[in-house]
Amino acid sequence: MQGHGYGQPAKKPPHLAVLVLLRVLFVAAGFLSIGFLAWAMLLRLAAVTRRPLDWGLFVTALFADIAAIVLVANDPSDDASGVGGTLGMCLVLITLVSATTYYLIAEIRHYGRREREFAARSAPAYGYPGPAARPYATPVIPTMPAAPAMSGMPTPPPAAPHTPVPGPPPVVPPSHRPAPARIDQVRAELDELSDYLRKHDGQHDGRREDGIER
């Protein structure tokens, strides 16, 4: 018992144009020979289908044609118009028509069935592995972060960062020199000024006295 797996590879039937050409040739051979080659059509059919029935029909047609030739050849009349000649010609014509009809119908059905089998086997059947597919990289879809759930209360906006306000710069008190040093300096300047005035007044008085004496 066979397990699951691949079936036998289906053979593709010949092209329709080739089949039509062969049918025309075999039918023409039968009619051009006045039926004496009608057995050739059945031989072609039996070789294609390989059925015992077709082989039997081929042998029957062959013997019918041989019998018709014997009857026509043994007819005593010159134009084969006697009983033997007439039976022989009728047998040939009946064999020709029967063989032609059966050949065309049987071969068309045979190749039609092969076409359907080929189409069915070419497609992967259910439960059977099909042809291996080429590996490919699975595209990575970026996931968006989930939106926060909406609550009943509105979410307050984020508070702005507190920036400290710069205060006024510290007031540096003016540096004062010690009061005693300043007083001493003023006193020294005043003494120098007094000495200068005293000298100036002394010189002025001496000049005045000299002017009086003169």
Side-chain angles (χ1 to χ4, degrees), residues 23-41:
R23 291 165 191 165
V24 171
L25 291 177
F26 279 96
V27 172
F31 277 90
L32 292 176
S33 63
I34 319 174
F36 290 102
L37 294 179
W39 55 267
M41 292 183 284

Side-chain angles (χ1 to χ4, degrees), residues 8-9 34 46 55 62 68 88-89 95 118-119 136 146 165 192 206 211:
Q8 295 181 356
I34 319 174
W55 285 110
L62 181 60
M89 294 304 298
T95 304
F118 177 76
Y136 61 94
V165 180
E192 291 178 0

Side-chain angles (χ1 to χ4, degrees), residues 16 19-20 23 45 49 101-116:
L16 181 60
L19 296 177
V20 171
R23 291 165 191 165
L45 180 63
T49 61
T101 304
Y102 180 78
Y103 164 69
L104 293 176
I105 294 175
E107 188 178 76
I108 290 173
R109 288 182 177 178
H110 172 72
Y111 280 109
R113 183 169 56 253
R114 284 186 57 182
E115 284 283 353
R116 292 190 296 270

Side-chain angles (χ1 to χ4, degrees), residues 148-158:
M150 299 297 294
S151 59
M153 297 298 293
T155 304

Side-chain angles (χ1 to χ4, degrees), residues 15-72:
H15 196 272
L16 181 60
V18 177
L19 296 177
V20 171
L21 178 61
L22 290 174
R23 291 165 191 165
V24 171
L25 291 177
F26 279 96
V27 172
F31 277 90
L32 292 176
S33 63
I34 319 174
F36 290 102
L37 294 179
W39 55 267
M41 292 183 284
L42 297 178
L43 176 60
R44 152 76 180 170
L45 180 63
V48 169
T49 61
R50 299 180 181 179
R51 294 191 304 174
L53 175 62
D54 296 334
W55 285 110
L57 292 175
F58 158 66
V59 173
T60 302
L62 181 60
F63 277 107
D65 287 340
I66 294 174
I69 294 173
V70 171
L71 289 173
V72 172

Side-chain angles (χ1 to χ4, degrees), residues 175-190:
S175 58
H176 297 283
R177 300 181 65 181
R182 180 65 177 173
I183 294 172
D184 293 341
Q185 182 180 1
V186 173
R187 184 178 298 171
E189 292 177 355
L190 290 175

